[in-house]
């Protein structure tokens, strides 16, 4: 079923705002956009939004290329692959209601953990774990940013933007391939992703005008707020 012009325009506005958020703090487009896009048309998630995430990841990685840490990314991507496989399996067996509850609870637990005095340090084990959780959440619901963002919350702003950007490029590509192979990402949905790309460009361009003015602690606070909103929205939507 095709969506109307007004639905596309509404979706572009939402994704544009999400791209502005992600271009500023390093992640958040899917967190902001996914619940609203689903209400516009379920066909806009996860595939088209994952495609948009891959596009803005490319733009962010290009802008902050000198801050990319390939060793850190390697461990995270090792976890992303099996996580993405499980995410595809989840889509085929779990109801939308149960999936929403599960993901919402997971995100809120991650936020609560980040507020504890003990902070998770980036290590091969925690990076693989975050990548694994991101693979499940990103593939099943297009919201794969929170696990990695929470783990990297104490890094510099440019380092967060650069490494999450590359992680989204490769991780999203993995998810899209697996979704396509399993018949869960159609040519029509790819077309929706392409239609949303101009709004991704616009949001990323605007973010470039404000990103350097955002302090590290404000980035961390914004991450926690967005993750909380994501978790609560996912739970409330099925109650």
């Amino acid at each position: 079923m095709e969506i109307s012009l007004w639905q596309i325009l509404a979706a572009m506005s939402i994704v544009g705002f999400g791209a502005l958020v992600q271009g500023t703090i390093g992640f958040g487009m899917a967190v902001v956009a996914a619940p609203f896009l689903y209400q516009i048309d379920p066909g806009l998630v996860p595939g088209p939004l994952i495609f948009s995430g891959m596009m803005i990841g490319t733009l962010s990685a290009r802008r902050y290329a000198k801050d990319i840490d390939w060793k850190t990314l390697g461990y995270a991507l090792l976890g992303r692959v099996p996580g993405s496989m499980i995410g595809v399996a989840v889509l085929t067996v779990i109801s939308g209601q149960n999936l929403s509850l599960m993901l919402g609870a997971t995100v809120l637990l991650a936020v609560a953990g980040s507020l504890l005095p003990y902070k998770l340090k980036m290590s091969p084990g925690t990076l693989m774990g975050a990548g694994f959780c991101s693979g499940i959440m990103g593939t099943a619901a297009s919201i794969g940013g929170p696990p990695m963002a929470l783990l990297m919350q104490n890094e510099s702003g440019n380092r967060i933007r650069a490494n999450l950007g590359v992680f989204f490029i490769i991780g999203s590509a993995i998810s899209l391939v697996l979704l396509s192979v399993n018949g869960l990402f159609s040519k029509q949905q790819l077309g929706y992703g392409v239609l949303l790309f101009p709004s991704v460009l616009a949001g990323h361009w605007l973010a470039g005008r404000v990103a350097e003015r955002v302090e590290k602690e404000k980035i961390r606070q914004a991450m926690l707020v967005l993750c909380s909103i994501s978790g609560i929205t996912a739970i409330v939507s099925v109650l």
Side-chain angles (χ1 to χ4, degrees), residues 27-63:
F27 93 111
M29 182 169 70
V31 175
V32 169
F36 300 104
L37 292 183
Y38 187 84
Q39 294 302 314
I40 292 172
D41 190 283
L44 292 169
V45 291
L49 188 53
I50 293 175
F51 179 84
S52 296
M54 184 169 64
M55 294 299 100
I56 196 170
T58 303
L59 295 171
S60 296
R62 181 175 178 272
R63 178 176 286 171

Side-chain angles (χ1 to χ4, degrees), residues 104-116 120 137 146-147 150 153 224 227:
T106 300
V107 171
L108 292 179
L109 284 173
V111 171
S114 73
L115 295 175
L116 296 174
L120 280 176
M137 297 169 64
L150 290 169
Q153 63 183 298
L224 294 177
C227 289

Side-chain angles (χ1 to χ4, degrees), residues 5-235:
L5 174 61
W6 291 110
Q7 287 175 304
I8 284 291
L9 291 176
M12 290 180 71
S13 299
I14 292 165
V15 169
F17 177 71
L20 170 61
V21 171
Q22 181 155 328
T24 303
I25 69 172
F27 93 111
M29 182 169 70
V31 175
V32 169
F36 300 104
L37 292 183
Y38 187 84
Q39 294 302 314
I40 292 172
D41 190 283
L44 292 169
V45 291
L49 188 53
I50 293 175
F51 179 84
S52 296
M54 184 169 64
M55 294 299 100
I56 196 170
T58 303
L59 295 171
S60 296
R62 181 175 178 272
R63 178 176 286 171
Y64 303 104
K66 63 184 178 63
D67 292 288
I68 295 171
D69 182 349
W70 289 104
K71 184 177 180 180
T72 293
L73 289 166
Y75 288 118
L77 290 168
L78 280 176
R80 174 86 189 205
V81 175
S84 296
M85 293 178 178
I86 293 176
V88 170
V90 167
L91 280 176
T92 63
V93 300
I94 194 171
S95 69
Q97 184 179 36
N98 289 334
L99 175 63
S100 187
L101 287 172
M102 180 187 72
L103 295 183
T106 300
V107 171
L108 292 179
L109 284 173
V111 171
S114 73
L115 295 175
L116 296 174
Y118 176 76
K119 304 295 182 184
L120 280 176
K121 295 182 179 180
M122 287 198 299
S123 67
T126 57
L127 284 165
M128 289 178 67
F132 178 77
C133 293
S134 180
I136 297 174
M137 297 169 64
T139 305
S142 73
I143 303 176
M148 286 295 297
L150 290 169
L151 184 60
M152 297 185 69
Q153 63 183 298
N154 294 310
E155 298 293 308
S156 69
N158 286 354
R159 185 175 168 85
I160 291 171
R161 298 181 193 106
N163 289 291
L164 286 183
V166 176
F167 181 78
F168 288 136
I169 296 170
I170 302 174
S172 296
I174 293 169
S175 296
L176 289 176
V177 168
L178 290 173
L179 288 171
S180 298
V181 169
N182 288 274
L184 298 171
F185 183 53
S186 65
K187 290 182 180 179
Q188 185 181 54
Q189 288 178 308
L190 174 60
Y192 292 156
V194 173
L195 285 174
L196 293 173
F197 182 59
S199 58
V200 172
L201 278 175
H204 181 75
W205 179 82
L206 287 173
R209 301 295 182 268
V210 300
E212 299 301 328
R213 304 174 188 174
V214 182
E215 299 174 2
K216 174 183 172 181
E217 183 58 26
K218 289 183 179 179
I219 292 175
R220 177 179 177 275
Q221 292 171 357
M223 285 180 174
L224 294 177
V225 169
L226 280 174
C227 289
S228 299
I229 291 171
S230 173
I232 292 170
T233 300
I235 292 172

